[in-house]
Amino acid sequence: MNKPQKLISFLAVGCLVACHTGQDNMQQKDIRLITLAPGHFHAALVQKSMYPQVDSLVHVYAPEGPELDAHLALVNQYNTRTDNPTYWQEEAYQGDDFLEKMLAERKGNVVVLAGNNQYKIDYISQSVDAGLNVLADKPMVINQAGFSKLEAAFDNASKKGVLLYDIMTERYEINTMLQKALSQLPEFFGGLVPGSADNPAITKESVHHFFKEVSGNPLIRPAWFYDTKQQGEGLVDVTTHLVDLVQWESFPDQVIDYRKDIQLVGARRWPTRVTPEQFSRSTGLDVVPEFLSETVDDNGNLAIFANGEIDYILKGVHAKVSVIWNFEAPQGTGDTHYSIMRGAYANLVIRQGEEEQYKPVLYVESTGKRDAKSFEAALAKAIGQLAETYDGIAFEPQSEGRYRIVVPPSLVTTHEEHFAQVTEKYLSFLQSGAMPDWEVPNMIAKYYLTTKALAEAQTVTP
């Protein structure tokens, strides 16, 4: 029997804020959002900003519980903040039949998905079947069975004339953008070297943490976040971003056909150990749920396969991506990112360690194929070219042949701000009615690699 169905309206708060800002929120806009089963805070981050082409009334469909409560509370926090408040009006339907209700009512035309990854591909498929556009948090799928469904969903989206897109926030980090831009200047960079399995041309490593703060408050994880059958293993979760960046930076605007352009060399996985005390701190639960019993080791700790590494060849270039999850970052630190692109004349390296005060910094290092004077002259010319687009960037020497790229604060945006940038890009696709030709095949290629790597890694005892 279904739980009691409830309809919660948050129109009053939204109206008060709207009147305060002088906005006519009840005016119908072309794009109307539906938030479906928001089990991850990324769903709310899409609404940290307002968009002129998006109706302020958002319909939310979800099962009753703390995940929905947390989502609505975070949106309300954005509505009531002092600095540039939003004015979203949330109308939430609670009930076990939330998906059926959403499909029957169709009160919007864009479904926003960020939550339990076990069910996400089914939500995607049914939304597309209903003729709805979908903006989905990563990962869209977490195994090879899901990948087959995703291919079918993209094919169906094309037939239905709707757009299915995933939220790739890391494309909007300024150091990554500059790394890509410099790599596309052949006179300076010299093109990517082919690399090898032992010394890849491209390496990307990401370190994340189970316990962190979001928008100034401790992040409470749902218990299923620790269940890789629901969240997905590390190889198919955060690596989605890293594989996307390898494609996006190395072969921009080029279609990648996974059937001929990707060769998996190897993949491995290993667990993060989380104590019962840490689990309780992260989730607010006193007891580990029964569905996580299989993950408990002989010492009573949870062994979560959140870590992984993929070695592969993309269009003849060797690449390696890896993700590591620790429980909590040391005081004053946070998630980190390391990346290197190796060219004939220069290596482009992003570091985010103690020297960088745990903020990403891009370095340019000479490979020695040019003398020091010629290399610096080529760098100066390259920075001059990029400064036409990225106003204020500069470089400063660190040691012989090694330079730090200086980025003005005006170009730096936070991880949370990147969600608005991704959403704005997606909205531009909706308004034009199409995405660039390479986006869909490259999304398919990305998920082919992550799910294939997981399948291979699971055959090996860690």
Side-chain angles (χ1 to χ4, degrees), residues 194 196 200-203 246 265 310-314 317-321:
S196 64
I202 312 161
T203 299
V246 170
V265 177
I310 308 173
D311 293 284
Y312 64 107
I313 300 173
L314 175 63
V317 173
H318 284 263
K320 180 170 74 173
V321 299

Side-chain angles (χ1 to χ4, degrees), residues 256-292:
I256 295 172
D257 182 346
Y258 75 83
R259 296 173 181 84
K260 63 181 182 180
D261 293 331
I262 295 177
Q263 177 186 343
L264 177 63
V265 177
R268 66 188 186 97
R269 60 202 269 269
W270 64 98
T272 297
R273 308 287 173 174
V274 177
T275 68
E277 293 77 17
Q278 289 173 329
F279 177 81
S280 177
R281 186 179 171 207
S282 172
T283 63
L285 301 176
D286 296 329
V287 179
V288 176
E290 179 63 27
F291 65 78
L292 287 171

Side-chain angles (χ1 to χ4, degrees), residues 175-190:
N175 293 281
T176 298
M177 295 166 70
L178 292 173
Q179 184 184 49
K180 174 189 179 183
L182 285 169
S183 74
Q184 297 304 309
L185 299 178
E187 291 185 5
F188 165 70
F189 185 62

Side-chain angles (χ1 to χ4, degrees), residues 142-271:
I142 59 175
N143 51 42
Q144 288 189 305
F147 172 72
S148 296
K149 293 180 180 180
L150 183 63
E151 278 196 298
F154 273 115
D155 183 59
N156 197 23
S158 178
K159 294 175 181 177
K160 295 279 188 177
V162 296
L163 301 185
L164 169 58
Y165 194 61
D166 61 356
I167 300 175
M168 291 289 100
T169 52
E170 298 307 309
R171 294 184 186 180
Y172 297 86
E173 199 283 311
I174 184 60
N175 293 281
T176 298
M177 295 166 70
L178 292 173
Q179 184 184 49
K180 174 189 179 183
L182 285 169
S183 74
Q184 297 304 309
L185 299 178
E187 291 185 5
F188 165 70
F189 185 62
L192 279 167
V193 299
S196 64
D198 294 331
N199 192 17
I202 312 161
T203 299
K204 291 186 178 292
E205 179 182 288
S206 185
V207 179
H208 289 257
H209 301 88
F210 287 109
F211 188 80
K212 62 174 70 174
E213 288 190 352
V214 175
S215 296
N217 297 307
L219 174 63
I220 300 299
R221 302 278 191 186
W224 59 256
F225 189 82
Y226 289 90
D227 182 4
T228 55
K229 294 178 182 178
Q230 299 185 65
Q231 173 62 23
E233 293 198 15
L235 277 173
V236 293
D237 186 9
V238 176
T239 51
T240 309
H241 280 303
L242 306 183
V243 173
D244 181 77
L245 290 180
V246 170
Q247 297 177 172
W248 181 73
E249 291 187 71
S250 305
F251 302 99
D253 304 331
Q254 295 184 39
V255 170
I256 295 172
D257 182 346
Y258 75 83
R259 296 173 181 84
K260 63 181 182 180
D261 293 331
I262 295 177
Q263 177 186 343
L264 177 63
V265 177
R268 66 188 186 97
R269 60 202 269 269
W270 64 98

